[in-house]
Amino acid sequence: SWAGARPERRAIAYDSVGIASHMGVLRRFIKVGETDLLVAELGLYGVRPDLERMGIAHSVGALIPTLRELGVPFAFGTVRHAMRNHVERYCQNGMASILTGVRVRSSIPEVNPDLPSTRTEDPLVVVFP
């Protein structure tokens, strides 16, 4: 969950109209098996509607030097299953892999005192080595 999180790095692309796309990077520990591992989470991703389907998403490759600088073994992001066709484009050239069946625990966006503050989901996990 990115609720209340402040990205360590932000990638913002501009063109003559204004902001074209953006993405945030945040280091955090995740549990892989029994090991806590420091990795980079990619989030706050967005592309201006008039630029969708133009391949601008491939610019995520520009973050590779930043990920090396952060000293993380990999970066990941989660997306809804409905976004599968979109993120599969990253995987065509080996830039990323899609994992399914990964349980992810995140904060619930609407706080309700009668409900747990977290939920467990099964999103697509996109991993960038």
Side-chain angles (χ1 to χ4, degrees):
S1 171
W2 283 74
R6 299 185 97 187
E8 290 182 60
R9 303 285 198 283
R10 295 172 196 243
I12 303 172
Y14 297 90
D15 64 10
S16 61
V17 177
I19 295 176
S21 66
H22 60 81
M23 179 177 291
V25 178
L26 177 66
R27 280 183 288 191
R28 59 173 75 217
F29 284 95
I30 62 171
K31 189 166 283 291
V32 178
E34 294 299 314
T35 305
D36 285 330
L37 186 62
L38 181 64
V39 300
E41 183 176 3
L42 305 176
L44 304 175
Y45 169 75
V47 174
R48 200 173 62 228
D50 63 314
L51 297 175
E52 289 176 353
R53 303 186 130 332
M54 295 185 68
I56 197 167
H58 289 287
S59 63
V60 72
L63 289 174
I64 291 171
T66 300
L67 297 175
R68 286 190 183 119
E69 178 185 315
L70 293 174
V72 294
F74 65 88
F76 79 98
T78 59
V79 297
R80 300 179 318 273
H81 285 269
M83 297 288 292
R84 184 176 192 105
N85 290 340
H86 178 72
V87 297
E88 279 181 338
R89 289 185 243 158
Y90 293 124
C91 303
Q92 291 173 349
N93 62 5
M95 184 190 302
S97 300
I98 297 175
L99 301 177
T100 58
V102 177
R103 291 178 39 221
V104 175
R105 190 172 58 219
S106 62
S107 298
I108 294 176
E110 295 86 29
V111 177
N112 186 325
D114 299 333
L115 299 173
S117 60
T118 61
R119 64 179 167 205
T120 301
E121 301 175 282
D122 178 24
L124 294 177
V125 177
V126 183
V127 178
F128 298 86

